[in-house]
Amino acid sequence: MPESVHSQDLDQSMVDAEQEQPAELPQSNDPILEERQIVVLPGATETAASFQFEGEGHTMGNALRYAIMKNPAVEFCGYTIPHPSDPKMNVRIQTTDATTALEALEKGFNDLMDLCDVVTEKFTASRDQFNAESGNRMEA
């Protein structure tokens, strides 16, 4: 049975991590991570890590958290905006031994991109159908 996570312990670990200098993100073959300004905050382990994103906010944070939590190997995922005037977002991921925090982050990004592709396709199809029907009504 997984060890329970106490919010006080998690909050303290995030505070401790924010006070230290961030580490570089491990090398990845995933172009998604290479395009973004992401750093792994200190104190990371294979199955628990905090990532800091430059220039992101609640829109990305909530969507990414949702996508990551759909992964059954993820025990916890949360995000925070440390201060409203600082354009940074922190994401904390804790996983089972079945995957790493970095792999869960990459999977979350890929799943979120797939979701966005489906929404775009459905929107485009509905818009095209509406425009075609509107054009037929105007001609009649």
Side-chain angles (χ1 to χ4, degrees):
M1 176 177 252
E3 202 173 299
S4 65
V5 178
H6 299 286
S7 62
Q8 183 180 9
D9 295 338
L10 182 60
D11 292 342
Q12 186 58 44
S13 67
M14 290 185 87
V15 168
D16 292 343
E18 289 175 8
Q19 291 173 350
E20 299 174 21
Q21 292 297 320
E24 290 297 315
L25 188 64
Q27 291 296 322
S28 171
N29 293 332
D30 193 334
I32 297 166
L33 293 179
E34 292 173 8
E35 294 174 9
R36 298 187 177 274
Q37 288 267 332
I38 304 172
V39 292
V40 179
L41 296 176
T45 65
E46 286 290 316
T47 60
S50 293
F51 303 91
Q52 187 172 73
F53 296 74
E54 295 287 333
E56 295 296 344
H58 291 287
T59 303
M60 175 63 82
N62 195 38
L64 186 58
R65 181 202 56 79
Y66 172 81
I68 292 170
M69 282 303 298
K70 289 292 193 179
N71 183 342
V74 173
E75 293 178 337
F76 173 84
C77 182
Y79 81 95
T80 183
I81 307 295
H83 193 276
S85 67
D86 196 9
K88 294 179 182 175
M89 174 194 62
N90 295 339
V91 174
R92 174 78 176 173
I93 301 172
Q94 290 177 217
T95 67
T96 64
D97 291 334
T99 189
T100 68
L102 182 59
E103 290 170 347
L105 179 64
E106 289 179 6
K107 181 175 179 0
F109 274 130
N110 289 329
D111 292 349
L112 187 55
M113 284 190 346
D114 292 343
L115 177 64
C116 289
D117 289 343
V118 169
V119 169
T120 299
E121 289 168 11
K122 290 192 179 274
F123 172 80
T124 302
S126 294
R127 182 199 59 204
D128 293 346
Q129 180 181 357
F130 176 81
N131 287 341
E133 290 173 1
S134 299
N136 291 340
R137 281 186 228 146
M138 294 179 91
E139 293 173 3

Short mmCIF file of all heavy atoms in Angstrom, two decimals, residues 32-75:
data_model
loop_
_atom_site.label_atom_id
_atom_site.label_comp_id
_atom_site.label_asym_id
_atom_site.label_seq_id
_atom_site.Cartn_x
_atom_site.Cartn_y
_atom_site.Cartn_z
N ILE A 32 8.80 18.25 -27.02
CA ILE A 32 7.92 19.10 -26.22
C ILE A 32 8.71 19.74 -25.09
O ILE A 32 8.62 20.93 -24.84
CB ILE A 32 6.75 18.28 -25.64
CG1 ILE A 32 5.90 17.73 -26.76
CG2 ILE A 32 5.91 19.11 -24.68
CD1 ILE A 32 4.95 16.65 -26.33
N LEU A 33 9.50 18.94 -24.40
CA LEU A 33 10.27 19.47 -23.27
C LEU A 33 11.41 20.36 -23.73
O LEU A 33 11.77 21.31 -23.04
CB LEU A 33 10.82 18.32 -22.42
CG LEU A 33 9.77 17.50 -21.69
CD1 LEU A 33 10.45 16.38 -20.91
CD2 LEU A 33 8.95 18.35 -20.76
N GLU A 34 11.97 20.09 -24.90
CA GLU A 34 13.09 20.89 -25.39
C GLU A 34 12.65 22.30 -25.77
O GLU A 34 13.44 23.23 -25.69
CB GLU A 34 13.74 20.20 -26.58
CG GLU A 34 14.44 18.91 -26.18
CD GLU A 34 14.95 18.12 -27.37
OE1 GLU A 34 14.90 18.65 -28.50
OE2 GLU A 34 15.38 16.99 -27.17
N GLU A 35 11.39 22.50 -26.16
CA GLU A 35 10.90 23.80 -26.58
C GLU A 35 10.51 24.68 -25.41
O GLU A 35 10.36 25.88 -25.55
CB GLU A 35 9.67 23.63 -27.48
CG GLU A 35 9.97 22.97 -28.79
CD GLU A 35 8.70 22.69 -29.58
OE1 GLU A 35 7.63 23.16 -29.19
OE2 GLU A 35 8.81 21.99 -30.60
N ARG A 36 10.33 24.13 -24.24
CA ARG A 36 9.84 24.87 -23.09
C ARG A 36 10.96 25.21 -22.12
O ARG A 36 11.93 24.52 -22.03
CB ARG A 36 8.78 24.05 -22.36
CG ARG A 36 7.59 23.78 -23.22
CD ARG A 36 6.53 23.11 -22.38
NE ARG A 36 5.35 22.91 -23.15
CZ ARG A 36 4.38 23.81 -23.30
NH1 ARG A 36 4.47 24.94 -22.72
NH2 ARG A 36 3.33 23.54 -24.02
N GLN A 37 10.74 26.29 -21.37
CA GLN A 37 11.64 26.64 -20.28
C GLN A 37 11.15 25.92 -19.04
O GLN A 37 10.29 26.41 -18.32
CB GLN A 37 11.60 28.15 -20.06
CG GLN A 37 12.26 28.95 -21.14
CD GLN A 37 13.71 29.22 -20.78
OE1 GLN A 37 14.05 29.27 -19.63
NE2 GLN A 37 14.54 29.37 -21.78
N ILE A 38 11.68 24.72 -18.80
CA ILE A 38 11.28 23.92 -17.65
C ILE A 38 12.52 23.55 -16.87
O ILE A 38 13.51 23.11 -17.45
CB ILE A 38 10.55 22.63 -18.09
CG1 ILE A 38 9.35 22.94 -18.96
CG2 ILE A 38 10.13 21.82 -16.87
CD1 ILE A 38 8.71 21.72 -19.58
N VAL A 39 12.46 23.73 -15.55
CA VAL A 39 13.55 23.29 -14.70
C VAL A 39 13.00 22.35 -13.63
O VAL A 39 11.84 22.49 -13.22
CB VAL A 39 14.30 24.46 -14.04
CG1 VAL A 39 15.07 25.27 -15.06
CG2 VAL A 39 13.36 25.33 -13.25
N VAL A 40 13.81 21.41 -13.22
CA VAL A 40 13.45 20.52 -12.13
C VAL A 40 13.94 21.19 -10.85
O VAL A 40 15.12 21.52 -10.74
CB VAL A 40 14.10 19.13 -12.29
CG1 VAL A 40 13.74 18.24 -11.12
CG2 VAL A 40 13.69 18.51 -13.60
N LEU A 41 13.03 21.41 -9.91
CA LEU A 41 13.41 22.04 -8.66
C LEU A 41 14.19 21.06 -7.80
O LEU A 41 13.99 19.84 -7.89
CB LEU A 41 12.17 22.56 -7.95
CG LEU A 41 11.41 23.66 -8.70
CD1 LEU A 41 10.14 24.04 -7.96
CD2 LEU A 41 12.28 24.88 -8.91
N PRO A 42 15.09 21.55 -6.96
CA PRO A 42 15.91 20.67 -6.12
C PRO A 42 15.06 19.78 -5.21
O PRO A 42 13.94 20.12 -4.85
CB PRO A 42 16.73 21.65 -5.28
CG PRO A 42 16.72 22.92 -6.06
CD PRO A 42 15.41 22.95 -6.78
N GLY A 43 15.65 18.65 -4.84
CA GLY A 43 14.96 17.71 -3.97
C GLY A 43 14.21 16.64 -4.73
O GLY A 43 13.50 15.83 -4.15
N ALA A 44 14.38 16.60 -6.04
CA ALA A 44 13.64 15.64 -6.87
C ALA A 44 14.22 14.24 -6.72
O ALA A 44 15.42 14.06 -6.55
CB ALA A 44 13.69 16.06 -8.33
N THR A 45 13.33 13.27 -6.78
CA THR A 45 13.72 11.87 -6.86
C THR A 45 13.12 11.33 -8.16
O THR A 45 12.43 12.06 -8.88
CB THR A 45 13.19 11.06 -5.66
OG1 THR A 45 11.76 11.05 -5.70
CG2 THR A 45 13.67 11.65 -4.34
N GLU A 46 13.36 10.06 -8.44
CA GLU A 46 12.81 9.47 -9.67
C GLU A 46 11.28 9.52 -9.68
O GLU A 46 10.68 9.74 -10.71
CB GLU A 46 13.27 8.01 -9.80
CG GLU A 46 14.72 7.86 -10.20
CD GLU A 46 14.97 8.29 -11.63
OE1 GLU A 46 14.19 7.93 -12.53
OE2 GLU A 46 15.96 9.00 -11.85
N THR A 47 10.66 9.31 -8.53
CA THR A 47 9.20 9.20 -8.48
C THR A 47 8.50 10.42 -7.89
O THR A 47 7.27 10.43 -7.82
CB THR A 47 8.78 7.96 -7.68
OG1 THR A 47 9.30 8.07 -6.35
CG2 THR A 47 9.28 6.69 -8.34
N ALA A 48 9.24 11.44 -7.50
CA ALA A 48 8.63 12.65 -6.95
C ALA A 48 9.49 13.85 -7.34
O ALA A 48 10.67 13.91 -7.00
CB ALA A 48 8.51 12.55 -5.44
N ALA A 49 8.89 14.78 -8.05
CA ALA A 49 9.65 15.95 -8.50
C ALA A 49 8.72 17.14 -8.67
O ALA A 49 7.53 16.99 -8.93
CB ALA A 49 10.35 15.65 -9.83
N SER A 50 9.32 18.32 -8.51
CA SER A 50 8.62 19.57 -8.79
C SER A 50 9.29 20.21 -9.99
O SER A 50 10.52 20.29 -10.06
CB SER A 50 8.69 20.51 -7.58
OG SER A 50 7.96 19.98 -6.51
N PHE A 51 8.48 20.66 -10.94
CA PHE A 51 8.97 21.28 -12.16
C PHE A 51 8.51 22.73 -12.18
O PHE A 51 7.37 23.03 -11.82
CB PHE A 51 8.41 20.57 -13.39
CG PHE A 51 8.73 19.09 -13.42
CD1 PHE A 51 7.86 18.17 -12.86
CD2 PHE A 51 9.90 18.65 -14.01
CE1 PHE A 51 8.15 16.81 -12.88
CE2 PHE A 51 10.19 17.29 -14.04
CZ PHE A 51 9.32 16.37 -13.48
N GLN A 52 9.38 23.62 -12.62
CA GLN A 52 9.02 25.03 -12.71
C GLN A 52 8.95 25.43 -14.18
O GLN A 52 9.88 25.19 -14.95
CB GLN A 52 10.05 25.90 -11.99
CG GLN A 52 9.62 27.35 -11.92
CD GLN A 52 10.56 28.13 -11.02
OE1 GLN A 52 11.69 28.39 -11.42
NE2 GLN A 52 10.10 28.46 -9.84
N PHE A 53 7.84 26.05 -14.56
CA PHE A 53 7.58 26.48 -15.93
C PHE A 53 7.63 28.00 -15.99
O PHE A 53 6.96 28.67 -15.20
CB PHE A 53 6.19 26.04 -16.40
CG PHE A 53 6.01 24.55 -16.46
CD1 PHE A 53 5.87 23.79 -15.32
CD2 PHE A 53 5.97 23.92 -17.70
CE1 PHE A 53 5.70 22.42 -15.39
CE2 PHE A 53 5.80 22.55 -17.77
CZ PHE A 53 5.67 21.80 -16.62
N GLU A 54 8.40 28.53 -16.92
CA GLU A 54 8.46 29.99 -17.11
C GLU A 54 7.32 30.42 -18.03
O GLU A 54 7.05 29.77 -19.04
CB GLU A 54 9.79 30.38 -17.76
CG GLU A 54 11.00 30.11 -16.90
CD GLU A 54 11.14 31.08 -15.74
OE1 GLU A 54 10.65 32.22 -15.86
OE2 GLU A 54 11.73 30.69 -14.73
N GLY A 55 6.66 31.50 -17.68
CA GLY A 55 5.65 32.09 -18.56
C GLY A 55 4.34 31.33 -18.66
O GLY A 55 3.61 31.51 -19.62
N GLU A 56 4.06 30.46 -17.72
CA GLU A 56 2.80 29.72 -17.74
C GLU A 56 1.96 30.09 -16.53
O GLU A 56 2.48 30.59 -15.54
CB GLU A 56 3.05 28.20 -17.75
CG GLU A 56 3.75 27.70 -19.00
CD GLU A 56 2.95 27.89 -20.28
OE1 GLU A 56 1.73 28.14 -20.21
OE2 GLU A 56 3.55 27.79 -21.35
N GLY A 57 0.66 29.84 -16.64
CA GLY A 57 -0.25 30.21 -15.56
C GLY A 57 -1.28 29.14 -15.31
O GLY A 57 -1.07 27.95 -15.58
N HIS A 58 -2.43 29.57 -14.81
CA HIS A 58 -3.49 28.65 -14.42
C HIS A 58 -4.05 27.84 -15.60
O HIS A 58 -4.43 26.68 -15.43
CB HIS A 58 -4.64 29.40 -13.73
CG HIS A 58 -4.27 29.93 -12.40
ND1 HIS A 58 -4.11 29.13 -11.29
CD2 HIS A 58 -4.02 31.20 -11.97
CE1 HIS A 58 -3.79 29.87 -10.24
NE2 HIS A 58 -3.72 31.13 -10.63
N THR A 59 -4.11 28.43 -16.78
CA THR A 59 -4.66 27.72 -17.93
C THR A 59 -3.87 26.45 -18.21
O THR A 59 -4.43 25.35 -18.30
CB THR A 59 -4.68 28.62 -19.18
OG1 THR A 59 -5.44 29.80 -18.87
CG2 THR A 59 -5.30 27.90 -20.37
N MET A 60 -2.57 26.58 -18.32
CA MET A 60 -1.73 25.40 -18.56
C MET A 60 -1.67 24.52 -17.32
O MET A 60 -1.72 23.30 -17.42
CB MET A 60 -0.31 25.83 -18.96
CG MET A 60 0.65 24.66 -19.11
SD MET A 60 0.22 23.50 -20.40
CE MET A 60 0.89 24.35 -21.80
N GLY A 61 -1.56 25.13 -16.16
CA GLY A 61 -1.43 24.35 -14.92
C GLY A 61 -2.60 23.42 -14.68
O GLY A 61 -2.41 22.23 -14.40
N ASN A 62 -3.80 23.93 -14.80
CA ASN A 62 -4.98 23.11 -14.53
C ASN A 62 -5.16 22.04 -15.61
O ASN A 62 -5.48 20.89 -15.30
CB ASN A 62 -6.23 23.98 -14.41
CG ASN A 62 -7.37 23.24 -13.78
OD1 ASN A 62 -7.19 22.43 -12.88
ND2 ASN A 62 -8.56 23.49 -14.29
N ALA A 63 -4.96 22.39 -16.85
CA ALA A 63 -5.11 21.41 -17.94
C ALA A 63 -4.05 20.31 -17.83
O ALA A 63 -4.36 19.12 -17.98
CB ALA A 63 -5.01 22.11 -19.30
N LEU A 64 -2.82 20.69 -17.54
CA LEU A 64 -1.74 19.70 -17.41
C LEU A 64 -1.97 18.81 -16.19
O LEU A 64 -1.79 17.60 -16.26
CB LEU A 64 -0.39 20.41 -17.32
CG LEU A 64 0.84 19.52 -17.32
CD1 LEU A 64 0.89 18.66 -18.58
CD2 LEU A 64 2.09 20.38 -17.22
N ARG A 65 -2.39 19.39 -15.08
CA ARG A 65 -2.69 18.61 -13.88
C ARG A 65 -3.77 17.58 -14.18
O ARG A 65 -3.66 16.42 -13.81
CB ARG A 65 -3.14 19.52 -12.74
CG ARG A 65 -3.43 18.78 -11.44
CD ARG A 65 -4.35 19.56 -10.53
NE ARG A 65 -5.60 19.93 -11.16
CZ ARG A 65 -6.64 19.12 -11.33
NH1 ARG A 65 -6.58 17.87 -10.92
NH2 ARG A 65 -7.75 19.54 -11.90
N TYR A 66 -4.81 17.99 -14.90
CA TYR A 66 -5.90 17.09 -15.26
C TYR A 66 -5.37 15.92 -16.10
O TYR A 66 -5.67 14.75 -15.82
CB TYR A 66 -6.97 17.85 -16.03
CG TYR A 66 -8.04 16.98 -16.63
CD1 TYR A 66 -9.10 16.51 -15.85
CD2 TYR A 66 -7.98 16.60 -17.97
CE1 TYR A 66 -10.08 15.70 -16.40
CE2 TYR A 66 -8.96 15.79 -18.52
CZ TYR A 66 -9.99 15.34 -17.74
OH TYR A 66 -10.96 14.52 -18.28
N ALA A 67 -4.56 16.23 -17.11
CA ALA A 67 -4.04 15.19 -18.01
C ALA A 67 -3.11 14.24 -17.26
O ALA A 67 -3.16 13.02 -17.46
CB ALA A 67 -3.30 15.83 -19.19
N ILE A 68 -2.28 14.77 -16.39
CA ILE A 68 -1.34 13.92 -15.64
C ILE A 68 -2.08 13.02 -14.67
O ILE A 68 -1.74 11.84 -14.50
CB ILE A 68 -0.28 14.78 -14.91
CG1 ILE A 68 0.64 15.45 -15.94
CG2 ILE A 68 0.52 13.96 -13.91
CD1 ILE A 68 1.57 16.49 -15.37
N MET A 69 -3.12 13.52 -14.02
CA MET A 69 -3.86 12.72 -13.04
C MET A 69 -4.65 11.59 -13.69
O MET A 69 -5.06 10.65 -13.01
CB MET A 69 -4.80 13.60 -12.21
CG MET A 69 -4.09 14.38 -11.13
SD MET A 69 -3.17 13.36 -9.96
CE MET A 69 -4.44 12.37 -9.22
N LYS A 70 -4.86 11.62 -15.00
CA LYS A 70 -5.51 10.52 -15.70
C LYS A 70 -4.61 9.29 -15.78
O LYS A 70 -5.10 8.19 -16.03
CB LYS A 70 -5.90 10.94 -17.13
CG LYS A 70 -7.05 11.93 -17.19
CD LYS A 70 -8.30 11.25 -16.75
CE LYS A 70 -9.52 12.06 -17.09
NZ LYS A 70 -10.73 11.37 -16.67
N ASN A 71 -3.32 9.46 -15.55
CA ASN A 71 -2.35 8.36 -15.58
C ASN A 71 -2.49 7.56 -14.29
O ASN A 71 -2.29 8.10 -13.20
CB ASN A 71 -0.95 8.95 -15.71
CG ASN A 71 0.13 7.91 -15.84
OD1 ASN A 71 -0.06 6.75 -15.52
ND2 ASN A 71 1.30 8.35 -16.29
N PRO A 72 -2.81 6.26 -14.37
CA PRO A 72 -2.98 5.46 -13.15
C PRO A 72 -1.70 5.29 -12.33
O PRO A 72 -1.77 4.95 -11.15
CB PRO A 72 -3.50 4.12 -13.66
CG PRO A 72 -3.25 4.10 -15.12
CD PRO A 72 -3.08 5.50 -15.59
N ALA A 73 -0.54 5.54 -12.91
CA ALA A 73 0.72 5.41 -12.18
C ALA A 73 1.06 6.68 -11.39
O ALA A 73 2.06 6.73 -10.69
CB ALA A 73 1.86 5.08 -13.14
N VAL A 74 0.22 7.70 -11.49
CA VAL A 74 0.45 8.96 -10.77
C VAL A 74 -0.38 8.95 -9.49
O VAL A 74 -1.59 8.76 -9.53
CB VAL A 74 0.10 10.17 -11.65
CG1 VAL A 74 0.17 11.47 -10.85
CG2 VAL A 74 1.03 10.24 -12.86
N GLU A 75 0.30 9.15 -8.37
CA GLU A 75 -0.37 9.20 -7.07
C GLU A 75 -0.84 10.61 -6.74
O GLU A 75 -1.88 10.79 -6.11
CB GLU A 75 0.57 8.72 -5.96
CG GLU A 75 0.92 7.26 -6.05
CD GLU A 75 1.89 6.83 -4.98
OE1 GLU A 75 2.63 7.68 -4.44
OE2 GLU A 75 1.91 5.62 -4.67
#
